[in-house]
Amino acid sequence: MKQWIGKHRVLAPSLLVAGLAAVAGGTVLASDHQQTVFTETSPRFDITDVHAFPTTAGRMAIAVTTSSPLLPSQLQNHGFGDVSEEMYQIKVDNTGDVLEDLVFQVTFTGTVPNQIVTVRGPVAPDQTGTANTLLSTPVVAQGSVNTTLGSATGIQVFAGPRDDPFFIDLEQFFRIIPDRKPAFSQPLASLPDTPTASSFRPKGSAVDFLRGINGLSIVIELPTALLTAGGHNSRLGVWATTNRIGGYPAGH
């Protein structure tokens, strides 16, 4: 049994699912990219967004993104962390106590671009909080990345690159708040610090700088009843962690 210590992450609320703080009575709207030197230089540990939303009647999807931004030319060289050193988790609170009652554990083996994804859950964890154990529960989906796995009526899984859905005029944003500009990562660190002729925007317009820039996504669709079973709260708290073997948190 391997032990991990995790990095917690709060997601934005959706129609049926609320972020962790919303369960406690508030509302959290959050998107967070490269917030530390560690996650900037090790982007596979950087959870950038968590989304949860209803799909069809009685079903919902949870999507976790990491490793943004990646240019198309970088996709062949960037992948998910190997199970020997990293575990991705989606955690669900369905009782309102701001502790995970259920977890998905997602691990990867192999080399880019031919990695294999393995998913376990949703299942009650052996531990809660920052210390986490890779469970020996049955695998619910396993197969190649960039492939839809599982059952359309049960649990379906996709893991692989997808276009970053965030819309932002990032070049101008870094000029307004320069301390948020990455110091190490490409291509964002190479953006000029002073305006250029091509960077001026007509009044009332903006540029979607992230169009065509990718992140790595883990998407799980399943019957909502699998997440509410055993719970007594009308809302779900959902967050995600990247967990690094070695006894200290990744990122924060």
Side-chain angles (χ1 to χ4, degrees):
M1 303 292 284
K2 296 174 181 175
Q3 299 286 327
W4 279 265
I5 287 190
K7 167 191 170 184
H8 284 283
R9 179 90 176 120
V10 176
L11 74 101
S14 70
L15 293 178
L16 292 183
V17 181
L20 182 61
V23 174
T27 298
V28 172
L29 295 171
S31 176
D32 198 6
H33 294 60
Q34 299 181 343
Q35 72 275 30
T36 69
V37 172
F38 178 82
T39 55
E40 187 178 329
T41 56
S42 305
R44 71 181 189 275
F45 288 105
D46 185 21
I47 295 176
T48 54
D49 295 284
V50 182
H51 307 276
F53 51 90
T55 54
T56 58
R59 294 181 64 83
M60 63 176 296
I62 302 173
V64 177
T65 58
T66 184
S67 297
S68 180
L70 292 175
L71 295 175
S73 60
Q74 297 175 299
L75 294 179
Q76 293 296 312
N77 299 316
H78 286 78
F80 298 95
D82 189 84
V83 66
S84 62
E85 62 176 7
E86 185 171 359
M87 176 171 62
Y88 301 83
Q89 292 191 99
I90 297 170
K91 301 186 175 185
V92 180
D93 167 29
N94 64 14
T95 59
D97 61 358
V98 200
L99 290 174
E100 58 268 34
D101 300 295
L102 299 169
V103 296
F104 290 95
Q105 296 187 333
V106 185
T107 56
F108 294 85
T109 56
T111 56
V112 180
N114 301 310
Q115 290 182 298
I116 299 296
V117 58
T118 299
V119 180
R120 295 174 173 86
V123 64
D126 285 347
Q127 299 162 292
T128 61
T130 58
N132 295 268
T133 300
L134 180 61
L135 302 170
S136 57
T137 55
V139 171
V140 298
Q142 186 176 60
S144 300
V145 298
N146 300 316
T147 304
T148 300
L149 306 168
S151 165
T153 58
I155 296 176
Q156 282 193 306
V157 174
F158 174 87
R162 280 294 183 264
D163 185 70
D164 193 317
F166 202 70
F167 187 108
I168 187 171
D169 193 340
L170 197 59
E171 186 179 22
Q172 296 295 73
F173 173 80
F174 286 149
R175 292 186 178 126
I176 297 170
I177 310 178
D179 65 323
R180 294 299 298 148
K181 180 179 176 181
F184 304 99
S185 299
Q186 298 294 333
L188 301 185
S190 62
L191 290 175
D193 292 326
T194 56
T196 61
S198 62
S199 70
F200 287 104
R201 318 289 191 231
K203 185 177 181 179
S205 67
V207 172
D208 182 7
F209 184 88
L210 296 181
R211 183 178 182 181
I213 291 179
N214 303 277
L216 297 180
S217 297
I218 299 170
V219 184
I220 300 176
E221 186 192 37
L222 74 162
T224 306
L226 293 180
L227 298 181
T228 58
H232 55 75
N233 198 58
S234 61
R235 293 182 293 178
L236 298 174
V238 182
W239 64 103
T241 64
T242 53
N243 303 274
R244 184 180 186 183
I245 194 169
Y248 57 93
H252 295 305

